[in-house]
Amino acid sequence: MERKKKVILSGMRPTGKLHLGHLTGALESWVALQGEFQNYHLIADYHALTTNPDSSFLYQNSIDMLIDWLAAGIDPKISPMFRQSQIKEHSELHLIFSMLITTARLERNPTLKEQVRDLAMESLVYGHLGYPVLQAADILLYKGEVVPVGEDQLPHIEITREISRRFNAQYPVRVPIFPEPEGRITKFARLTGLDGKRMSKSIGNTILLSDAPDAIMKKMKTAVTDPQKIRKGDPGHPDICLVFSYHTKFNPAEVEAIRADCQAGKLGCVDCKTRCAQRIIEALEPHREKRAYFESHMDEVHSILDNGEQRAKQKAAETMNEVHAAMNMG
Ligand code: TRP
């Protein structure tokens, strides 16, 4: 008998086309774990409304993101991909969970604290406070046991575990309904942006997975390097150089030679960047091709989403039946 696969639930807010940081921080691990686990992938469109209530681009952004997921190798036959907003059970479970966690606990959430700093207290909405509660519903609706995420999301996984324990204790049944999910961080979780700051689409310091080769070359030329290496002959410090960190990831075969030549003043930054850009262009070639395929087969993309949403709905309905029964509210 085949052992039942553990469930992975992971998701992203639909910000449109994805960048290299999404690939190394999340997508690669989703794809690597796809055979061993049962993956579910969520397009967190409701969560996106916390940063911007304007919903006019959400659908297009969701489709753009979905195409990048597919191009990166998420197989729609085995891993359902779906929009949070289309599965009404997310909202219902979020409401039930909101009774099981104190506001004091949510106020201590470090990501909320970051938002308070960035946004100013007056523009903080109720949805910000409840953000991790909705995320807990996302994960537990599918009984997610493993959640591959960036480090910044670990506090949300911790809140999810607390809510899961709280629900199971409050509404006991013979076999507890919810698992206690664990977060998994990938090795290259943090890829720094071309300007040395956190990689983020809104700052424009990214390489998009869909960028054409000449755009990648052009962007790489703007990357910051070791400030002490001004001329080619100056000895460089690879360990503090952003471009070197990209070589580590995208050019493992040459990385040690590059380190030595940079330190010896034999390799200039312009050449080093060109070589790095070439490797990234090569690495993204299959992605670009698959993307182009899906962009010219939009019917297929829509039916993939439709099918993912049907499968997610079925699983969500099953879990909610158990929830209603345990709560005696069936
Ligand atoms: N909060 C996550 C992010 O910003 C997105 C997200 C929403 C998510 N629901 C999720 C991630 C459930 C993992 C599991 O990246």
Side-chain angles (χ1 to χ4, degrees), residues 9-14 22 30 40 42-45 47-48 84 90 131-132 134-139 146-150 152-153 156-157 160 198:
L9 182 296
S10 198
M12 292 180 191
R13 283 178 287 174
H22 293 117
W30 294 6
Y40 286 86
L42 163 100
I43 300 172
D45 51 358
H47 274 122
Q84 184 184 40
H90 288 255
Y131 188 112
L134 180 57
Q135 188 160 342
D138 297 342
I139 296 169
V146 175
V147 190
V149 278
D152 59 318
Q153 294 294 310
H156 294 166
I157 310 300
T160 303
R198 189 193 149 103

Side-chain angles (χ1 to χ4, degrees), residues 2 75 118 132 157 257 263 299:
E2 203 190 333
D75 180 348
D118 295 348
I157 310 300
Q263 284 171 334
D299 286 356

